[in-house]
Amino acid sequence: MRVALYARVSTQRQAQSQTIDQQLRRLEAHVRAQGWEVAPEHVYRDEGASGADLNRPGLDALRDRAALADLDVVVITAPDRLARRYLHQALVLEELAEHGCRVEFVERPMSEDPNDQLLLQIRGAVAEYERTLITERLRRGRLARLRAGTLLPWIRPPFGYRVDPDRPRDPAGLQCDPYAAAVVAQLFEGYLQERTTLTGLVARLWASRVPSPTGNAAWTTSSLRHLLRNPTYTGTAYGNWRREVPSRGRRSPLQAVGGGLTNVPRPRDEWIPVTVPAIVAQEVFDLVQEKLDRNRAWASRHNTRHHYLLRALVSCGLCRLAATARTSWDGRAYYVCAGHASTPTSPHCPSRFLPAAQLEPLVWADLCALLTHPAQLTAALQRAQGGQWVPDELAARRAALREALRQTERQQDRLLDAYLAGAVELAAFERKRAELAHRQQALRSQQRQLDASMQQSLDLAAVAASLQTFCAQVSTGLASATFEQRRTLVELLIDRVIVTHDEVEIRYVVPTGSGHAHLPFCQLRTDYLMLLMAVMGAASASW
């Protein structure tokens, strides 16, 4: 019998208090009572891992081992150690069963009897409800303590402060770190000196061998800007000042739009102030903010003295970073990859400077050829009409939504059966039924939005005639277009120009609606979360 053990605790504090070792001792005792033996490499543990997430190193290793058909049984103390959500429990149990591995719970033994399976499902639903209830209580408790001034608004203190190890969230134990606080004060005063920039301060810190707040040898301009923008150093920290929302942007021009979560500020009246020791005077902080705003407005990226046809549209195909435009002392313009910036922590990009005198005419000629001979656009529309333009991500999301809806319906049926059998009280039944109904409504709303996006993506044949008209309108004045007109057209029709050694990839986007013909695609990009509302193509050329 090939046996594996799995144990999990939710917090590092539980891990330090030997809770996970207690689980393992109970599992080993159960295994010995069964007369089984467990190899050391078949003991899997997740310390400080939430049961609401399946992304756990120990669980992943267990699933990978089971996929090799190398396990017969997995022993776990209770179902909530496997997962806090019933959907996750069912997914993992079904996956292990497909590989010939069964799961045995020590505290709550289960068989294949339908009553036991129903009880397991009810317990999984109750565990999920309990987790939601605990999360909400913790959130409200944190807010109450923040308002009372008895809780610090961050887990790790900002650079310049240190906390009492025994009371890391107690404001009474917060103190200024003498060395780090002196560095912070010097940074604020140094930035106010004439001609001092963030890059210059980073160089000074590197020369002085001052480690960054994360312990790295070198600082970055972004971390330094974040420090100088932090109002905590004036003596007031803020809690409840931001919230999580779905991301509507992309980290890099070469990454997909959307995906993941991001933090946005809450309304100012919802912020909760907490008094902390001050390091910088309010007047100094205000002067630093004014200089940061002024330098941002006068940054070189906003300089329009020189004409760059592909400004903010070029990326390096080697390091995937953006390429900025610059002009040398003798008047020659180049697009230079941001990876050329010499920093101690990032490698130097081997790409060469891209002469604007060669790159811009190449891209403009390809754009003119596309508009005067729109056969590529027609072919792209035909592929889109055949369904080839529906992204795999959309199809996967639709399948996931359908499965979630089916799962919610099954949970409603099981909840009703449990209530009729007397296993659930009326109050709990009504509360859980309302929760499931709200979840089902939200899933159906997401499904309607997704179906609308997919239908819009497949209904592109109707715009073929308008595309022909658009190309005819813009192609008549290509030869005599001024720089401003060419720049407007480039912003409208090109998403990105990617240069890899001597190859150039041009990612086009052509407006498919009447209102889109007057807006650059860069302004529409954040609204195209799951599907670009345009016909995109790619063309490669050598130069």
Side-chain angles (χ1 to χ4, degrees):
M1 180 71 71
R2 297 167 298 179
V3 184
L5 307 181
Y6 177 74
R8 178 189 66 82
V9 291
S10 300
T11 63
Q12 292 294 339
R13 182 176 300 177
Q14 291 175 335
Q16 294 172 1
S17 62
Q18 307 300 317
T19 306
I20 199 166
D21 291 335
Q22 296 173 6
Q23 292 184 39
L24 290 175
R25 284 195 294 269
R26 297 176 61 188
L27 295 176
E28 291 169 354
H30 177 80
V31 168
R32 286 196 300 269
Q34 301 294 327
W36 300 335
E37 293 184 0
V38 181
E41 64 271 15
H42 287 173
V43 177
Y44 302 93
R45 51 198 293 169
D46 282 313
E47 302 181 10
S50 172
D53 190 1
L54 286 181
N55 185 16
R56 295 175 247 155
L59 183 60
D60 287 342
L62 172 63
R63 295 167 68 181
D64 292 341
R65 175 68 68 173
L68 300 176
D70 199 23
L71 297 176
D72 295 320
V73 60
V74 176
V75 185
I76 308 175
T77 55
D80 60 353
R81 296 301 91 194
L82 177 63
R84 278 284 187 179
R85 296 181 178 177
Y86 171 70
L87 180 61
H88 290 172
Q89 290 182 11
L91 185 148
V92 176
L93 291 174
E94 182 178 354
E95 176 185 320
L96 295 177
E98 290 178 354
H99 299 304
C101 178
R102 66 182 177 89
V103 177
E104 185 169 315
F105 299 110
V106 175
E107 295 180 358
R108 301 165 184 171
M110 296 291 170
S111 66
E112 295 298 326
D113 184 78
N115 293 327
D116 284 348
Q117 294 299 312
L118 174 61
L119 185 58
L120 175 63
Q121 295 166 7
I122 294 174
R123 285 173 173 170
V126 171
E128 183 176 349
Y129 166 74
E130 287 178 347
R131 178 187 176 277
T132 304
L133 187 63
I134 291 172
T135 301
E136 178 62 15
R137 286 176 176 172
L138 288 175
R139 184 189 69 84
R140 293 176 60 84
R142 282 193 296 267
L143 290 179
R145 293 186 61 189
L146 282 172
R147 293 189 180 98
T150 60
L151 182 71
L152 291 173
W154 9 257
I155 298 176
R156 188 176 66 181
F159 183 73
Y161 296 96
R162 62 185 179 188
V163 296
D164 186 345
D166 297 330
R167 299 175 300 166
R169 300 295 298 273
D170 188 357
L174 183 67
Q175 298 178 352
C176 292
D177 184 298
Y179 170 75
V183 172
V184 171
Q186 291 177 5
L187 289 175
F188 274 89
E189 294 175 1
Y191 186 68
L192 290 178
Q193 296 177 4
E194 189 176 359
R195 297 184 178 275
T196 300
T197 62
L198 294 177
T199 305
L201 282 181
V202 168
R204 292 185 195 175
L205 291 168
W206 171 253
S208 302
R209 297 295 186 266
V210 177
S212 71
T214 57
N216 295 327
W219 291 61
T220 63
T221 54
S222 60
S223 64
L224 183 56
R225 183 184 297 106
H226 178 75
L227 184 148
L228 295 176
R229 290 285 193 185
N230 193 346
T232 302
Y233 297 114
T234 62
T236 304
Y238 292 94
N240 196 47
W241 70 276
R242 60 182 181 180
R243 59 187 177 91
E244 279 191 345
V245 297
S247 176
R248 297 183 60 85
R250 52 183 176 181
R251 296 180 181 275
S252 166
L254 300 186
Q255 294 182 0
V257 179
L261 298 173
T262 187
N263 290 303
V264 298
R266 294 178 182 270
R268 185 82 184 195
D269 56 357
E270 296 183 15
W271 294 14
I272 302 176
V274 178
T275 302
V276 298
I279 297 179
V280 178
Q282 184 67 48
E283 296 78 8
V284 175
F285 182 83
D286 293 339
L287 291 174
V288 168
Q289 306 315 301
E290 293 178 5
K291 183 174 181 180
L292 286 171
D293 294 337
R294 183 171 61 253
N295 286 357
R296 181 177 183 179
W298 288 91
S300 58
R301 61 180 177 274
H302 301 309
N303 181 15
T304 57
R305 181 177 57 175
H306 301 286
H307 287 173
Y308 302 111
L309 183 64
L310 304 178
R311 180 196 300 271
L313 294 176
V314 181
S315 288
C316 174
L318 298 179
C319 63
R320 317 300 286 179
L321 295 177
T324 57
R326 66 176 63 172
T327 299
S328 62
W329 62 271
D330 55 355
R332 290 180 294 181
Y334 296 92
Y335 293 95
V336 183
C337 173
H340 283 276
S342 57
T343 61
T345 57
S346 60
H348 185 80
C349 180
S351 63
R352 63 188 179 92
F353 285 22
L354 309 174
Q358 299 181 33
L359 181 60
E360 292 179 356
L362 175 70
V363 175
W364 179 250
D366 194 83
L367 176 62
C368 294
L370 182 68
L371 293 177
T372 53
H373 302 88
Q376 299 182 47
L377 300 180
T378 304
L381 281 172
Q382 293 174 351
R383 294 198 307 273
Q385 189 177 11
Q388 300 179 22
W389 277 84
V390 178
D392 294 339
E393 183 181 0
L394 277 180
R397 281 195 64 207
R398 182 168 63 173
L401 282 175
R402 288 178 176 176
E403 178 58 31
L405 280 170
R406 286 194 293 266
Q407 183 63 38
T408 304
E409 293 172 356
R410 289 195 293 267
Q411 287 183 0
Q412 290 175 330
D413 294 339
R414 289 192 294 269
L415 182 64
L416 180 59
D417 293 340
Y419 172 69
L420 295 177
V424 179
E425 297 293 336
L426 177 60
F429 170 75
E430 293 291 349
R431 184 169 55 249
K432 189 63 180 177
R433 185 177 65 172
E435 179 185 342
L436 291 175
H438 179 72
R439 183 187 307 171
Q440 187 179 47
Q441 182 180 3
L443 290 172
R444 292 193 183 280
S445 176
Q446 294 181 34
Q447 188 181 44
R448 287 193 297 268
Q449 295 176 7
L450 190 62
D451 290 342
S453 298
M454 296 188 70
Q455 181 59 35
Q456 201 166 16
S457 70
L458 296 175
D459 193 23
L460 294 178
V463 301
S466 63
L467 280 179
Q468 297 287 344
T469 303
F470 172 78
C471 292
Q473 290 175 348
V474 299
S475 61
T476 54
L478 291 177
S480 58
T482 63
F483 173 81
E484 288 74 15
Q485 293 171 336
R486 287 187 297 158
R487 174 62 188 175
T488 301
L489 198 59
V490 164
E491 285 185 336
L492 180 67
L493 301 179
I494 293 181
D495 178 36
R496 210 67 193 168
V497 177
I498 305 170
V499 182
T500 308
H501 295 305
D502 59 347
E503 292 186 352
V504 180
E505 177 188 356
I506 308 173
R507 296 183 178 179
Y508 289 106
V509 49
V510 177
T512 59
S514 58
H516 297 166
H518 305 286
L519 286 176
F521 181 68
C522 59
Q523 298 179 15
L524 298 172
R525 183 179 293 127
T526 54
D527 295 329
Y528 290 21
L529 295 181
M530 304 309 302
L531 182 65
L532 302 181
M533 305 289 293
V535 179
M536 298 184 65
S540 297
S542 298
W543 58 286

